[in-house]
Amino acid sequence: MSSGTDGRLPGSFRDPAGFVFQRDGTFYRQVNRSYQATFATLMGSGLYAKLVEQGLLIPHQTAALGLAPEPDAVAVIKPEQLGFVSYPFEWSFSQLKASALATLRIQRVAVGHGLSLKDASAYNMQLHGGRPTLIDTLSFEPYEAGLPWVGYRQFCQHFLAPLALMAYRDVRLGTLLQSHLDGLSMDLAARLLPWRTRLRPGLLMHLHLHSRAQARHADSSRNRDSLKERMSQRRLEALLESLESTVRRLSWNPDETPWASYGDQSSYSDAGQADKERLVADYLAQADAKSVWDLGGNVGIFSRIAAAKDVPVVSIDSDPGAIDLNYRRMAESGERTIYPIVADLTSPSPALGWANREVNSLTERGPAGLVMALALVHHLAIGNNTHFERLARFFGGLGRRLLIEFVPPDDAMVLRLLAMRNHTFPWYTQGEFEAAFGRRFWIERSDGIADSKRRLYLMESM
Amino acid sequence: MAGGRPVFLPGLCSALLMTVLLAGRRYIDPGSGSFAIQIIIAAVLGGLLTARLWLRHIFWRALGLVRRRKTEERPAGDEADR
């Protein structure tokens, strides 16, 4: 992840309470003088301990004040380090929903301790220990009884609107968050949602009427003082309960989509599949990587073999159904180190935000200790017309070591891809594959998969 | 909201809210509208919550009265006969 010359993260500049910086590969957070009292309340009120105990807030240790890049610091904290940072437009429906519910839970607990979330950004939630966790420790402000929740609009934009669109229109609309970094505006969501969502009281109130209220009050400007004594704590709790109920009722099931049996489609016999799993485990043990990116990870069968070594495994696939199933399995079985994300390798997530430096591109979030590309080469080479030379360069940019599978030209899956093409791929041969990759990598090991013509390779960048 | 609560109540309240929020004007500052709708929704939901608690209280009191009356009407020694 890139940072400025003083180690400060380019994307961490909006919050006057503090910012994130990096020293020798470790991330820290500076707490500014203006936030001193609130930080003391967070730590002293029992809120920090309670949220950490429930796995809702990232735990931290106090670090040396001398590390602070700026003189305004009153404290420096070292949060537990994340295995991988992903962004809401890369999340599956279930992960976005779980993050929304965690945000509401945090707000309810915070209000009970005299604090309130001052924002409800989905970017503040990251997977940590297999659960959506608030990573911005400075996201709280003193709760003033009578004031509405300042994070309400952002919650609706970052969570409720995209979830409703994914549930009621199309799950792929989650990628709209890539072009709308501060979430989907209420009017856009209201226009895109089907009319029948007006019959859902929660969506009617928090999206459709919310949109109309924004339009109606567009010319009026209010300051915080004018809002005092307008909303009791009981009413706030009723609002949070309603939001939670609305989010809970949104559902999307991959089983009802064209991806239904995707994970079951196997190109191997039982013996072939077992041999491939054994070989992959062997290669992983030999590589001994500290992190793994499983490209085209599907529902995560091989990601789980990699995660058995308790290292962060980023499971990447362009199929939102497969990634949703992958996330659900991870959440249900309490797996702590898998990060399933939706990304299209033919157009990986770009750098976004202010000066293109607030959100890192997918490739900037590397390198991985080991890149896995199993049953993927034919999709990129034939499906995307990309020569082995370019694939080798791309994979080499993602990590030093590569565990890759070659799918031969007479494989049933390759023949199926070729059937849809009106030109041939004379260069798509095992010899050309080994020659192209051999120009960038040392081939450490190679084995044929039993009962199949496919081959696995373990390679290391030159 | 609890899953078992009838849907028509919030639906009715939403319809009432609709009458408050008539045709909109130009979209400039979404912040004020978000605060306004939040205050209205919270007031409606808070009112519903209070009404629900009040109705529940009335229900249990009425049920308590019925039970007490039945106990009083039962002849002495009724329990011993069982």
Side-chain angles (χ1 to χ4, degrees):
Chain A
M1 195 161 289
S2 59
S3 53
T5 48
D6 59 353
R8 192 171 167 155
L9 252 63
S12 184
F13 65 90
R14 294 185 205 280
D15 190 357
F19 58 87
V20 178
F21 64 95
Q22 199 178 17
R23 285 272 185 281
D24 301 324
T26 303
F27 290 95
Y28 297 89
R29 193 178 284 274
Q30 169 171 329
V31 183
N32 289 341
R33 189 166 302 283
S34 62
Y35 197 69
Q36 188 171 17
T38 311
F39 187 64
T41 308
L42 169 70
M43 301 306 293
S45 65
L47 176 62
Y48 169 81
K50 186 158 190 177
L51 291 177
V52 166
E53 183 197 336
Q54 295 184 9
L56 291 167
L57 176 64
I58 193 128
H60 69 251
Q61 294 175 332
T62 305
L65 191 57
L67 289 168
E70 292 190 6
D72 194 29
V74 291
V76 172
I77 58 174
K78 180 187 167 192
E80 281 186 6
Q81 305 291 293
L82 299 171
F84 182 74
V85 172
S86 62
Y87 303 118
F89 51 82
E90 298 170 328
W91 298 349
S92 68
F93 176 86
S94 297
Q95 184 177 343
L96 187 61
K97 182 174 172 175
S99 301
L101 293 172
T103 301
L104 293 171
R105 176 80 193 134
I106 291 165
Q107 172 65 352
R108 292 176 85 163
V109 176
V111 170
H113 286 77
L115 289 165
S116 175
L117 281 175
K118 63 185 178 187
D119 55 22
S121 170
Y123 290 83
N124 286 346
M125 304 300 291
Q126 290 292 331
L127 278 186
H128 184 61
R131 300 175 60 168
T133 306
L134 177 66
I135 57 160
D136 184 1
T137 313
L138 314 186
S139 262
F140 300 93
E141 63 177 8
Y143 170 60
E144 291 180 56
L147 271 182
W149 180 29
V150 290
Y152 174 71
R153 173 169 64 101
Q154 201 173 37
F155 180 85
C156 293
Q157 291 185 174
H158 281 225
F159 294 108
L160 190 57
L163 282 171
L165 282 170
M166 290 163 92
Y168 280 98
R169 200 49 101 179
D170 194 302
V171 76
R172 290 167 293 184
L173 289 174
T175 57
L176 275 178
L177 289 171
Q178 188 172 303
S179 51
H180 297 76
L181 288 186
D182 197 22
L184 306 185
S185 57
M186 291 299 99
D187 65 320
L188 176 64
R191 283 164 71 101
L192 293 177
L193 280 168
W195 198 91
R196 65 192 161 103
T197 54
R198 288 167 171 79
L199 302 176
R200 293 278 177 191
L203 296 179
L204 176 64
M205 289 187 290
H206 300 299
L207 288 184
H208 293 288
L209 296 181
H210 191 166
S211 165
R212 299 196 75 162
Q214 286 184 340
R216 181 172 170 76
H217 293 267
D219 299 340
S220 66
S221 58
R222 289 165 185 253
N223 59 37
R224 273 176 86 117
D225 288 341
S226 74
L227 297 166
K228 279 184 177 167
E229 308 306 326
R230 302 292 294 272
M231 203 161 135
S232 66
Q233 188 171 335
R234 188 172 193 169
R235 288 182 180 180
L236 174 60
E237 282 163 6
L239 180 89
L240 295 173
E241 203 178 319
S242 162
L243 283 171
E244 186 180 325
S245 155
T246 306
V247 170
R248 275 195 198 285
R249 286 178 187 182
L250 294 172
S251 64
W252 177 73
N253 196 350
D255 295 338
E256 294 165 5
T257 70
W259 304 289
S261 58
Y262 199 76
D264 303 329
Q265 289 175 7
S266 178
S267 302
Y268 305 94
S269 63
D270 288 349
Q273 180 71 18
D275 193 48
K276 182 175 172 183
E277 289 179 15
R278 181 189 62 79
L279 281 171
V280 168
D282 264 11
Y283 281 37
L284 285 163
Q286 184 175 335
D288 195 28
K290 298 288 174 271
S291 64
V292 175
W293 283 17
D294 183 7
L295 309 181
N298 202 275
V299 293
I301 293 168
F302 294 98
S303 298
R304 285 180 171 79
I305 294 174
K309 290 179 70 72
D310 211 27
V311 295
V313 178
V314 185
S315 197
I316 305 170
D317 205 287
S318 60
D319 180 338
I323 290 299
D324 203 68
L325 291 169
N326 195 340
Y327 177 83
R328 287 184 196 198
R329 182 167 168 196
M330 186 210 84
E332 282 161 14
S333 51
E335 292 161 335
R336 297 172 56 85
T337 61
I338 297 180
Y339 301 83
I341 65 165
V342 181
D344 180 358
L345 292 170
T346 64
S347 177
S349 311
L352 297 165
W354 182 252
N356 285 122
R357 301 198 64 193
E358 278 189 87
V359 168
N360 287 313
S361 71
L362 182 63
T363 50
E364 283 171 332
R365 282 173 271 165
L370 174 80
V371 173
M372 284 206 296
L374 303 174
L376 178 70
V377 162
H378 56 308
H379 287 293
L380 296 176
I382 297 169
N384 197 51
N385 263 2
T386 309
H387 195 276
F388 293 135
E389 202 75 54
R390 286 180 188 278
L391 292 182
R393 198 183 314 151
F394 176 61
F395 293 145
L398 296 180
R400 270 197 72 73
R401 293 185 103 165
L402 176 64
L403 198 176
I404 191 166
E405 178 179 4
F406 180 71
V407 181
D410 56 351
D411 186 277
M413 298 303 278
V414 175
L415 293 174
R416 192 190 293 180
L417 280 171
L418 287 171
M420 304 301 291
R421 304 268 151 182
N422 55 7
H423 62 282
T424 55
F425 291 79
W427 51 267
Y428 191 88
T429 63
Q430 185 177 328
E432 192 73 27
F433 169 83
E434 289 179 359
F437 276 80
R439 283 191 279 277
R440 287 190 171 268
F441 293 90
W442 303 108
I443 298 180
E444 296 176 57
R445 184 177 166 184
S446 172
D447 292 275
I449 297 170
D451 215 9
S452 158
K453 289 182 181 171
R454 298 183 175 196
R455 282 193 83 76
L456 289 178
Y457 297 81
L458 182 64
M459 305 183 183
E460 184 170 7
S461 247
M462 285 176 176
Chain B
M1 295 283 107
R5 196 158 53 81
V7 176
F8 72 86
L9 266 180
L12 181 68
C13 294
S14 303
L16 286 172
L17 282 180
M18 189 74 102
T19 60
V20 179
L21 302 160
L22 297 172
R25 280 179 270 166
R26 246 182 93 227
Y27 183 88
I28 302 169
D29 172 25
S32 300
S34 292
F35 281 124
I37 192 71
Q38 184 187 168
I39 290 166
I40 297 170
I41 291 172
V44 171
L45 294 172
L48 277 175
L49 194 67
T50 307
R52 192 170 56 167
L53 292 172
W54 185 73
L55 284 171
R56 194 177 290 171
H57 177 71
I58 297 285
F59 174 76
W60 286 113
R61 276 198 76 166
L63 199 69
L65 278 176
V66 171
R67 278 188 182 155
R68 200 182 307 158
R69 194 169 297 163
K70 277 189 177 168
T71 315
E72 284 167 1
E73 282 171 359
R74 197 174 291 159
D78 204 21
E79 289 295 318
D81 291 343
R82 288 188 185 180

